[in-house]
Amino acid sequence: RAKTEIADKICFFDNVMDENVRNKRELAADLRYAIEHNQLEVHYQVQATISDSVITGYEALLRWNHPLRGAIPPSEFIPLAEENGIILQLGEWVLRMACKQCAPLGIKVAVNLSPIQFLHPNLPGLVEDILAETGMRAENLELELTESAIIHDKERTLVQLQAIRKLGVTIALDDFGTGYSSLDTLRAFPFDKIKLDRTFMNELETSDQARSIIRAVLSLGRSLEIPVLAEGIETSDQLAILAEEGCQSAQGYFLGRPAPLSMIVSAIEVENLEAPEKLAGMLNKL
Ligand code: C2E
Ligand code: MG
Ligand code: MG
Ligand code: MG
């Protein structure tokens, strides 16, 4: 009896596995279809300086509205795309779309790069081509990458980053503090910006320790002469603390949620973003 029970369990486990694999394969096929049939969208989230509230740019964030399953978050489909190699096509799509949409407005945009995209035979060449094709000015493009991009194949990645930077494109280190070799990464490459991960904003209002960590990172940024942007700012108290600590810039729901470019542009035009009183100062300086 025990034996059949185990056999049943294994059989059940197999079925669950099968279903997961099938599910993933199906979703991957849907994602390929979505790229080719314009079911993906790019949303933009504002980034601004803290001391004088100037909008410095927007981060491009992919959105997938699946026709049957509804909105699927990037945390689900980006890893899937990375497993399948679809990320090369997807990364190229989002870079081209962001440049195409932002170039005519003359606004600065930051696009996320997956570590896998550094396996592209000629990533700097691709970036150069897309700039030329869309009329995007190199200095208005920033590329964001996490430390994991540099861990994979350090030498090769650094050579590519140098080549991209030579074009005039800036490079930001994303999700700083969540990796395991943060300090070494900072030594290896002269980043233009450090994006402090939003996990550090948790408990910032109540915990002295949280505040000490932020202070340490800001001090590190100052000595390396790299400006720091704080991610995930959700409250005015968090923003006030970062201002006190001398953080250069911020991004987060408090400043604005990611939204389609059409909404951002019309919001700028009518000077009426989702939080007018907070952003009025920024808009005045546009
Ligand atoms: P990320 O690059 O660190 O992007 C910031 C994420 O934090 C976004 O999540 C954004 O919506 C979210 N966020 C912004 N402000 C706040 C806040 O105040 N509170 C909270 N709780 N969250 C906030 P999203 O759009 O779900 O993207 C998640 C991650 O997926 C991104 O993290 C990035 O790693 C990846 N991703 C998104 N779009 C792309 C893309 O086009 N290419 C690649 N390779 N990765 C992407
Ligand atoms: Mg990012
Ligand atoms: Mg981030
Ligand atoms: Mg992230």
Side-chain angles (χ1 to χ4, degrees):
R1 236 196 95 213
K3 223 175 176 177
T4 49
E5 246 173 50
I6 291 169
D8 279 353
K9 273 186 187 150
I10 290 173
C11 183
F12 173 75
F13 184 68
D14 269 1
N15 281 334
V16 171
M17 284 282 284
D18 276 356
E19 206 179 303
N20 278 339
V21 170
R22 226 180 304 127
N23 221 331
K24 265 187 157 181
R25 255 189 226 138
E26 208 178 280
L27 207 57
D30 289 353
L31 184 54
R32 281 202 188 86
Y33 184 91
I35 300 170
E36 279 153 21
H37 294 82
N38 286 316
Q39 289 177 355
L40 295 166
E41 225 188 317
V42 185
H43 283 196
Y44 296 88
Q45 186 178 32
V46 70
Q47 302 178 332
T49 61
I50 296 176
S51 63
D52 52 1
S53 303
V54 172
I55 292 177
T56 51
Y58 297 84
E59 179 173 21
L61 295 160
L62 262 172
R63 294 292 177 259
W64 182 16
N65 201 2
H66 190 284
L68 299 175
R69 301 183 198 212
I72 299 176
S75 56
E76 203 173 311
F77 70 81
I78 297 284
L80 177 77
E82 286 174 333
E83 271 174 46
N84 285 281
I86 304 174
I87 193 68
L88 291 182
Q89 207 188 336
L90 191 58
E92 183 173 337
W93 184 88
V94 69
L95 182 60
R96 180 172 285 115
M97 184 58 82
C99 289
K100 209 195 252 175
Q101 293 191 318
C102 294
L105 299 168
I107 56 179
K108 188 159 175 161
V109 68
V111 180
N112 291 284
L113 277 188
S114 157
I116 312 288
Q117 289 179 267
F118 287 90
L119 302 176
H120 188 285
N122 185 11
L123 183 62
L126 178 69
V127 173
E128 192 175 12
D129 288 350
I130 290 178
L131 290 174
E133 181 193 313
T134 59
M136 182 74 173
R137 289 167 53 202
E139 58 270 34
N140 275 349
L141 177 64
E142 182 154 87
L143 295 175
E144 296 190 0
L145 56 123
T146 60
E147 288 162 90
S148 56
I150 293 173
I151 290 156
H152 279 322
D153 186 344
K154 197 165 167 175
E155 296 298 303
R156 199 186 134 100
T157 305
L158 292 180
V159 168
Q160 293 182 89
L161 283 178
Q162 304 282 13
I164 291 171
R165 208 151 176 258
K166 260 207 175 129
L167 300 171
V169 173
T170 55
I171 311 286
L173 182 56
D174 204 356
D175 301 349
F176 180 76
T178 56
Y180 45 85
S181 67
S182 311
L183 300 180
D184 188 51
T185 308
L186 282 177
R187 204 167 45 99
F189 187 80
F191 290 94
D192 299 288
K193 186 186 282 171
I194 294 169
K195 296 190 75 180
L196 184 54
D197 195 72
R198 69 177 157 85
T199 52
F200 295 102
M201 307 311 144
N202 297 336
E203 297 168 21
L204 188 53
E205 296 109 314
T206 51
S207 151
D208 285 344
Q209 267 164 336
R211 189 162 172 158
S212 298
I213 289 175
I214 301 241
R215 187 174 297 156
V217 174
L218 289 170
S219 152
L220 182 67
R222 270 192 295 272
S223 39
L224 294 171
E225 295 181 55
I226 307 175
V228 176
L229 176 146
E231 298 191 270
I233 298 301
E234 294 181 353
T235 68
S236 59
D237 285 351
Q238 288 170 337
L239 193 63
I241 292 170
L242 287 158
E244 255 175 59
E245 298 295 341
C247 184
Q248 283 81 6
S249 52
Q251 180 180 347
Y253 295 165
F254 181 70
L255 304 176
R257 287 186 181 251
L261 193 63
S262 58
M263 279 177 65
I264 284 169
V265 171
S266 62
I268 290 172
E269 279 168 356
V270 301
E271 293 205 343
N272 186 23
L273 280 170
E274 66 191 73
E277 67 284 359
K278 282 178 270 169
L279 285 161
M282 295 178 185
L283 293 168
N284 286 338
K285 308 217 165 141
L286 261 186

